[in-house]
């Protein structure tokens, strides 16, 4: 068995979620793809995939092994590029993901700057408000907001953000300005579910945490929808400061309860490639760091 080819085949099966599609991608027949993964499982003496008549699912061990395989294949690619003298080149397609509003508002200049600097590249942006599996969905770089769980991904800190409670001036004139998180229960609340729970918002009073109950009149999975409703004077919402900078600066939204704000949250760039990331990944992350930290 050619171990490297088998590893590449296994990664393709994980990413394509099936043997037939993986075989087409690798230019072999489906039986060849099936045999390569079976031989890999036999050599390792572990089950990497669970096969049914309809789907192929990755086991927990298989998911960890696929990440390690991808790193090994990336290392091999870098060695080959170095040998051919193209190690320093930035080229090829880069796939990135982030939450929808943060991606559109904060990463646009980074994406354009990257493409201008590196004419032999292209970028696909997948801005979605859901968890994304980098390996199985073929993602090169994922921008994640908040504390990270332990994982096999390599994380690079980019910047920090904080959650702000804000409302339109006419709403505050009509309903009053809350002075303490406990008063939120008496206000019309717009819950941006991609930012925080719709049942309680967390604050701090000095070193003491506060969990303030809220009863949203409007709950939405779209942060943009929540901001629009707040600007229209419907009520209070809580979103990330980065996505309402223009509204706060223009005065169409006013921040309240600032003294009770919880600590700032980190923003990381995640990728699969470890410390020896590919040139295209390193170039994008370096530009994101420069742009976001400068802002």
């Amino acid at each position: 068995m050619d171990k490297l080819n088998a590893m590449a085949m296994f990664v393709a099966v994980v990413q394509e979620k099936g043997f037939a599609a993986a075989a087409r991608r690798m230019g072999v027949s489906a039986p060849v793809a099936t045999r390569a993964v079976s031989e890999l499982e036999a050599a390792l003496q572990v089950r990497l995939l669970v096969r049914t008549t309809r789907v192929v699912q990755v086991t927990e061990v298989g998911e960890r092994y696929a990440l390690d395989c991808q790193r090994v294949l990336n290392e091999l690619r870098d060695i080959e590029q170095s040998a051919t003298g193209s190690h320093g080149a930035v080229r090829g397609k880069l796939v990135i993901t982030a939450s929808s509003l943060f991606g559109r508002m904060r990463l646009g200049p980074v994406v354009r700057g990257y493409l201008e600097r590196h004419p032999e590249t292209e970028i696909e942006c997948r801005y979605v408000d859901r968890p994304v599996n980098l390996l199985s969905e073929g993602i090169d770089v994922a921008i994640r907001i908040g504390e990270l769980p332990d994982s096999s991904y390599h994380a690079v800190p980019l910047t920090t953000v904080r959650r702000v409670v804000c409302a339109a001036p006419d709403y505050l004139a009509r309903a009053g300005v809350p002075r303490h998180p406990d008063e939120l229960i008496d206000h019309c609340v717009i819950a941006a579910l991609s930012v925080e729970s719709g049942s309680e918002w967390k604050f701090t009073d000095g070193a003491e945490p506060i969990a303030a109950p809220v009863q949203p009149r409007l709950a939405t999975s779209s942060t943009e929808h929540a901001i629009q409703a707040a600007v229209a004077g419907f009520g209070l919402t809580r979103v990330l400061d980065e996505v309402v900078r223009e509204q706060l600066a223009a005065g169409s939204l006013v921040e309240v309860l600032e003294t009770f704000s919880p600590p700032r949250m980190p923003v990381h760039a995640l990728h699969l490639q470890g410390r020896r990331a590919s040139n295209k990944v390193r170039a994008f992350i370096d530009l994101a760091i420069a742009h976001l930290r400068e802002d």
Side-chain angles (χ1 to χ4, degrees):
M1 176 183 62
D2 185 324
K3 183 65 73 67
L4 284 175
N5 282 340
M7 291 166 64
M9 183 62 68
F10 172 59
V11 170
V13 172
V14 172
Q15 292 177 337
E16 299 292 342
K17 300 180 178 61
F19 284 93
R24 286 193 296 271
R25 172 171 144 186
M26 300 293 289
V28 299
S29 67
V32 168
T34 303
R35 185 167 60 251
V37 175
S38 295
E39 290 177 355
L40 197 58
E41 289 179 317
L44 296 170
Q45 296 186 341
V46 296
R47 177 67 65 86
L48 300 174
L49 301 171
V50 176
R51 304 158 177 84
T52 69
T53 55
R54 293 189 176 183
V55 296
V56 173
Q57 294 182 321
V58 189
T59 65
E60 184 177 348
V61 172
E63 186 165 0
R64 292 197 302 269
Y65 184 66
L67 290 170
D68 291 336
C69 287
Q70 185 67 72
R71 274 191 284 270
V72 170
L73 295 169
N74 289 337
E75 291 277 349
L76 179 61
R77 178 210 57 221
D78 285 347
I79 291 171
E80 291 174 343
Q81 287 180 346
S82 180
T84 59
S86 61
H87 186 69
V90 178
R91 59 167 63 98
K93 183 177 181 179
L94 186 74
V95 181
I96 67 169
T97 187
S99 61
S100 55
L101 194 56
F102 185 88
R104 295 202 309 272
M105 295 187 65
R106 307 301 298 127
L107 295 182
V110 180
V111 169
R112 292 191 297 272
Y114 175 88
L115 294 173
E116 289 169 358
R117 293 186 183 196
H118 307 293
E120 295 183 65
T121 62
E122 55 187 281
I123 288 186
E124 179 182 337
C125 301
R126 301 180 187 174
Y127 297 150
V128 293
D129 295 320
R130 63 171 177 81
V132 172
N133 185 302
L134 275 67
L135 178 65
S136 63
E137 298 190 42
I139 304 294
D140 293 303
V141 180
I143 308 300
R144 296 276 172 84
I145 299 171
E147 297 298 333
L148 297 173
D150 292 337
S151 73
S152 300
Y153 300 147
H154 190 72
V156 180
L158 298 179
T159 185
T160 60
V161 294
R162 69 183 181 92
R163 291 170 291 222
V164 298
V165 181
C166 52
D170 61 336
Y171 171 82
L172 297 174
R174 185 172 69 251
V177 178
R179 304 297 179 186
H180 189 277
D182 289 345
E183 298 176 22
L184 290 172
I185 199 68
D186 299 319
H187 277 267
C188 183
V189 165
I190 307 159
L193 299 178
S194 61
V195 177
E196 200 154 21
S197 161
S199 59
E200 65 177 25
W201 290 351
K202 298 185 184 302
F203 297 87
T204 56
D205 188 357
E208 294 296 319
I210 300 174
V214 294
Q215 293 182 338
R217 290 209 57 210
L218 171 61
T220 175
S221 61
S222 167
T223 302
E224 194 165 13
H225 183 198
I227 294 170
Q228 290 171 349
V231 170
F234 185 73
L236 291 154
T237 193
R238 193 179 207 192
V239 294
L240 299 179
D241 59 347
E242 286 287 318
V243 299
V244 287
R245 291 201 307 178
E246 293 182 3
Q247 291 87 344
L248 292 173
S252 57
L253 290 176
V254 177
E255 183 178 1
V256 299
L257 301 174
E258 184 175 0
T259 56
F260 296 96
S261 291
R264 297 183 70 85
M265 299 185 297
V267 179
H268 289 92
L270 303 187
H271 62 89
L272 297 171
Q273 300 176 3
R275 297 188 179 278
R276 291 191 62 184
S278 65
N279 295 326
K280 63 181 182 180
V281 167
R282 286 199 303 268
F284 182 82
I285 291 176
D286 289 345
L287 191 60
I289 289 173
H291 180 82
L292 294 177
R293 291 183 184 176
E294 180 182 357
D295 267 4

